[in-house]
Amino acid sequence: VNPGHIAVLVPSAPVAAEVLNALGRAGVPAVRTRTGSVFLAPAAFEWRLLLAALERPSHAGTVRGAGLGAFLRASAQELDPHAPDAARRVAVLQQRCAMWADELAKRPFLAWYDHVRAQSNLVEHLLSLPGGERDLTDFDHIAELLAAELGAGRGTTASAAIRVLDRLVAGGERADGDD
């Protein structure tokens, strides 16, 4: 039996919360699904920040915002414009964003995401945090939805991905398939 092979169906959100808490106390990793649109989750905001930085890697403020997120993980102190060496740190993030944007143009979206996921150690980072399993599921789910909308087999631009993400966010639960 592997993760993802077992599901617990419950009659209501409060019962789901109780079951999730009980499993957590027992040391059993668990995620709660179908509780609303994935586009209302923090992962959607994180995706928006990253894609905006890929769209404009030369814009230090945009890259700083993405730098605080799960993909780039810099601290606020490191990115403070008045901190020693902050300009160098931001420049490194800008280079990474420019590189990821170039790679996005060359690879199908999910192949690109797999690469970025590995390069950023996203899985390890998220799974080290409380609730990280849920967050990772949300990041992956949004990537799959973006890939489905952007089309398989070709690269894209950050601008196109932002337009799709914004449309999906505006569609909320309809785009996510939740009722």
Side-chain angles (χ1 to χ4, degrees):
V1 176
N2 292 312
H5 289 170
I6 298 173
V8 177
L9 303 177
V10 296
S12 67
V15 173
E18 289 176 24
V19 170
L20 188 64
N21 289 335
L23 289 170
R25 285 191 305 274
V28 177
V31 296
R32 187 172 160 186
T33 61
R34 303 289 184 206
T35 60
S37 175
V38 70
F39 297 111
L40 299 176
F45 180 70
E46 294 260 5
W47 267 112
R48 185 65 167 80
L49 285 174
L50 177 66
L51 292 170
L54 299 187
E55 182 180 42
R56 297 180 59 200
S58 63
H59 190 262
T62 303
V63 171
R64 267 192 199 94
L68 297 173
F71 287 102
L72 298 170
R73 290 192 309 281
S75 72
Q77 294 80 13
E78 291 173 322
L79 298 180
D80 179 343
H82 304 293
D85 215 23
R88 185 193 59 78
R89 287 187 181 111
V90 171
V92 168
L93 294 180
Q94 287 175 303
Q95 288 173 340
R96 177 169 278 190
C97 289
M99 180 184 67
W100 284 353
D102 289 343
E103 291 169 357
L104 178 60
K106 297 173 187 170
R107 299 178 186 215
F109 192 85
L110 282 180
W112 172 83
Y113 174 57
D114 286 342
H115 173 74
V116 167
R117 202 174 178 242
Q119 202 172 49
S120 66
N121 294 315
L122 183 66
V123 173
E124 295 82 359
H125 168 68
L126 291 175
L127 294 180
S128 73
L129 302 173
E133 296 92 354
R134 172 76 262 163
D135 294 337
L136 180 59
T137 300
D138 291 343
F139 274 96
D140 291 351
H141 190 183
I142 291 169
E144 290 167 2
L145 293 169
L146 286 169
E149 292 290 321
L150 290 165
R154 63 177 199 264
T156 191
T157 64
S159 296
I162 288 170
R163 283 191 301 273
V164 169
L165 179 60
D166 288 348
R167 184 171 46 77
L168 292 171
V169 168
E173 293 182 357
R174 289 188 315 271
D176 191 25
D178 289 345
D179 295 322

